[in-house]
Amino acid sequence: VPGGLQVSGSASVDGTGRLTLSGNYSLNGIYNRPLVISAGALVNFGSATFNQPVTVNPGGTWTINGSATITINESLTNRGTLRWISRNNVFNLLGAGRVENLGLWEIFSDPGCPQCGSESVVQLPVNVPAGGKLLMSTNGIVSFTPGSSLTVAGELEVQEGGRVRLDGNNPPRDLTLAA
């Protein structure tokens, strides 16, 4: 979609084919078609549900700059950049799907309150294969809760004040760090 697009609240994107975004967008809603964030695109999502595969291509960026619930019911494949907020504003990532992070996924501290204590939450499996990177920027924090797991064969970087937490609820989470 090279021109304008607005999807908000409970509006849904339906039909055939895939939705390819190029340009700058701020979106919410329900996505029932495969979604591609193209090279050069910058897409900020509020709360959204994805019922088909989502792909962030190299050079594409998906941001979350305010509190949001992201539901992934298929797969999220990142080959570009995910830049998602924590601390004051947070994201809650859940659903029946999974994340394959072959690019950079940065979880950063809300600049409006970099010392606030709210954690962003992941409730589905995350895989960071060789070549991928999960980055907790300075003071960025995330909690992996029931339904999640974290497998890292790529890079896991936790900067000063950052934290990756596997909570103590049942069932326990799997953490796999490969050489």
Side-chain angles (χ1 to χ4, degrees), residues 144-162:
F144 283 76
T145 65
S148 69
S149 63
L150 177 59
T151 302
V152 181
E155 188 176 347
L156 172 61
E157 180 180 347
V158 181
Q159 295 180 350
E160 182 178 341

Side-chain angles (χ1 to χ4, degrees), residues 86-87 107-109 136-142 160-164:
S86 70
R87 288 283 183 175
I107 298 174
F108 67 97
S109 177
M136 296 304 115
S137 290
T138 301
N139 296 322
I141 56 176
V142 67
E160 182 178 341
R163 181 177 68 224
V164 175

Side-chain angles (χ1 to χ4, degrees), residues 47-70:
S47 293
T49 299
F50 301 91
N51 294 316
Q52 293 292 320
V54 180
T55 303
V56 180
N57 282 339
T61 302
W62 173 349
T63 61
I64 297 177
N65 293 321
S67 291
T69 298
I70 303 296

Side-chain angles (χ1 to χ4, degrees), residues 7 22 26 29 33 38-40 48 50 53 72 89-90 96 110-111 114 118 124-125 131 160 170 176:
V7 182
S22 56
S26 290
R33 301 303 325 140
S38 298
F50 301 91
I72 303 288
N89 284 291
V90 295
D110 185 337
S118 298
L124 46 74
E160 182 178 341
N170 285 320
T176 305

